[in-house]
Amino acid sequence: MHIPSKLPDVGTTIFAVMSALANEHSAINLSQGFPDFSCPEELIESVHRFMREGYNQYPPMSGVPQLRQAIADKYASLYQTALDADTEVTVTSGATEALFCAITALVNPGDEVIIFDPAYDAYEPVIQLSGGITRRIKLSYPDYAIDWHQVKACINAKTRLIILNNPHNPTGSILTSHDIQNLQALVSNTPVFLLADEVYEHIVFDGSQHQSLLRFEDLRARSFVVSSFGKTYHMTGWKIGYCIAPPDMSAEFRKIHQFNTFTTCTPMQYALAEFLQYSGYYRSLGEFYQNKRNHFLARMKSSRFKALPCHGTYFQLMSYADITDQHDIEFARKLTTESGIASIPVSVFYGDGCDEKVLRFCFAKDTETLDKAAEILCKI
Ligand code: PMP
Ligand code: GLN
């Protein structure tokens, strides 16, 4: 039987495609974003302990209270933001679920949603499923900054939501305080909501400060702020994230969440609650990944790839315009199958397929992996 597709233009996500190709050709996988090193041993021990102690049944729908409180405490200590763990924090099955619930809760047929290209690929399909209209605004090349004049020109009576991804995947750009001021000026006195995808919140480099929307009371009052433990604690496969929003917005969010996944894995939530209470692990994460970025860049110095600025995330963009004018999808495929290095072609994140001859390399890898990859890339 044929199903008329609700997402006729959507294929398999590039992350699944490139990781499969990397596996098929035994290539070094710098495509999909995940570390090739382990998460903290205490976390693994703690999950085992909670499992053995019998924490194996459904947790509360909005998340284990201890974890929600630990999340609220973290932001109180980081940004002096007072959050009510009961009404403003919801634990989800990865940030992906949180993005789905937030967009679905907000967007009605005909509503317009502004996203910035190159855009992470999990936003538009959900907008489309809700009957919304995606308005894409290009970030400027090569610094991938937001042109606020364009945003202003794009806002109209139908604008429901602006989705911000900060630090930005795939480009590694970050919002500055100047961006925040522009955003504040644009949305004040409008009914526009914000969705901030901040999964790389702790991976910011060179002394910059992460401009979380949680820092700004006026913005926080109209925002869903989404994050993920996967990026912070090196366990992307656990799929545990969360969403922070004011009580009324969280209530609508939870109406969707309860019939989507209802809740997420119990022993992992308890383990994370415990870990967050005593560990300031995330505070050194920026430095940890900055060292990896610097190491990778140093090894790539003699290559014909040109590094673009990277202020955050664990992704490094590289221009290959000096090597070939092949399309980036074709070149990424060739690099995987013939040279044994998998990366992500950036054109797939553009609504119009804009090909700037740029590939994304994930540097959340052991030094040995980065060295091997750079050695190959320097010969190309
Ligand atoms: N948003 C961005 C920008 C991401 O890069 C990712 C995953 N890498 C997600 C959301 C999804 O996070 P999760 O794996 O927790 O669902
Ligand atoms: N967010 C990850 C990346 O950018 C991939 C997540 C996924 O595979 N869905 O590589």
Side-chain angles (χ1 to χ4, degrees):
M1 301 258 295
H2 176 70
I3 302 176
S5 180
K6 287 191 172 181
L7 297 170
D9 303 325
V10 172
T12 303
T13 166
I14 190 71
F15 305 117
V17 170
M18 291 312 296
S19 273
L21 196 67
N23 290 339
E24 192 187 323
H25 292 270
S26 303
I28 299 175
N29 191 357
L30 307 188
S31 64
Q32 194 178 22
F34 61 88
D36 71 347
F37 40 86
S38 183
C39 65
E41 193 57 36
E42 305 97 288
L43 259 181
I44 294 177
E45 288 299 323
S46 167
V47 169
H48 283 195
R49 178 162 38 80
F50 281 111
M51 280 181 168
R52 280 195 296 267
E53 285 174 5
Y55 291 83
N56 297 305
Q57 308 310 328
Y58 294 129
M61 178 271 278
S62 58
V64 162
Q66 292 89 331
L67 180 54
R68 283 187 278 110
Q69 190 58 54
I71 294 168
D73 292 346
K74 173 174 123 169
Y75 291 109
S77 117
L78 273 176
Y79 311 135
Q80 291 74 52
T81 304
L83 294 174
D84 182 323
D86 284 335
T87 58
E88 296 185 290
V89 182
T90 309
V91 179
T92 58
S93 296
T96 309
E97 196 228 336
L99 294 169
F100 183 92
C101 295
I103 296 169
T104 308
L106 269 176
V107 178
N108 295 300
D111 285 349
E112 293 188 6
V113 180
I114 296 177
I115 66 174
F116 297 93
D117 272 0
Y120 184 62
D121 67 352
Y123 312 139
E124 179 161 41
V126 190
I127 298 167
Q128 210 177 330
L129 285 174
S130 296
I133 297 157
T134 308
R135 301 288 306 269
R136 289 171 175 268
I137 296 176
K138 271 194 186 134
L139 297 172
S140 57
Y141 179 85
D143 57 345
Y144 298 102
I146 294 176
D147 176 348
W148 291 101
H149 295 293
Q150 277 192 53
V151 183
K152 189 171 183 187
C154 198
I155 292 181
N156 63 57
K158 288 193 199 146
T159 308
R160 180 73 161 163
L161 172 66
I162 301 175
I163 302 181
L164 295 149
N165 175 205
N166 176 40
H168 188 260
N169 179 8
T171 69
S173 66
I174 57 174
L175 294 183
T176 62
S177 53
H178 181 66
D179 289 312
I180 297 292
Q181 284 159 17
N182 276 308
L183 180 63
Q184 285 172 315
L186 267 190
V187 297
S188 69
N189 303 317
T190 75
V192 174
F193 287 88
L194 303 172
L195 169 54
D197 178 348
E198 301 189 2
V199 301
Y200 300 101
E201 61 187 321
H202 301 302
I203 313 180
V204 169
F205 309 137
D206 307 318
S208 299
Q209 198 182 48
H210 171 54
Q211 300 293 339
S212 172
L213 295 199
L214 295 174
R215 288 178 185 271
F216 309 96
E217 277 305 315
D218 56 337
L219 296 178
R220 187 168 101 65
R222 57 174 78 228
S223 298
F224 289 104
V225 178
V226 166
S227 194
S228 169
F229 291 110
K231 317 292 166 187
T232 304
Y233 297 124
H234 319 310
M235 33 60 150
T236 58
W238 289 19
K239 295 294 295 183
I240 304 182
Y242 53 91
C243 177
I244 294 168
D248 286 359
M249 290 169 65
S250 288
E252 289 306 312
F253 179 96
R254 288 176 183 179
K255 286 183 191 173
I256 315 266
H257 163 71
Q258 67 184 341
F259 297 118
N260 185 356
T261 60
F262 178 70
T263 186
T264 199
C265 188
T266 306
M268 268 91 167
Q269 289 198 54
Y270 278 101
L272 280 166
E274 195 177 77
F275 195 66
L276 252 76
Q277 273 159 31
Y278 69 79
S279 167
Y281 191 87
Y282 55 85
R283 291 184 189 273
S284 56
L285 200 66
E287 192 187 344
F288 174 79
Y289 278 120
Q290 183 175 314
N291 288 337
K292 291 208 174 286
R293 178 203 63 176
N294 291 350
H295 182 85
F296 184 54
L297 288 180
R299 293 298 155 119
M300 288 291 287
K301 218 163 193 153
S302 66
S303 92
R304 291 195 291 157
F305 288 90
K306 276 215 178 71
L308 301 186
C310 167
H311 303 289
T313 77
Y314 46 51
F315 304 115
Q316 176 65 55
L317 294 190
M318 294 273 180
S319 163
Y320 63 87
D322 291 347
I323 300 174
T324 171
D325 61 2
Q326 249 179 352
H327 193 278
D328 67 352
I329 296 178
E330 223 176 289
F331 187 55
R333 181 166 267 282
K334 191 169 159 213
L335 212 54
T336 311
T337 58
E338 294 178 18
S339 306
I341 305 288
S343 61
I344 297 285
V346 172
S347 68
V348 301
F349 302 113
Y350 282 95
D352 63 1
C354 172
D355 172 23
E356 277 152 345
K357 315 289 174 212
V358 170
L359 299 178
R360 190 197 80 173
F361 295 89
C362 173
F363 56 80
K365 306 291 168 190
D366 277 329
T367 305
E368 199 191 343
T369 314
L370 294 175
D371 287 352
K372 264 198 223 156
E375 194 185 326
I376 296 170
L377 291 169
C378 283
K379 291 187 188 136
I380 286 162

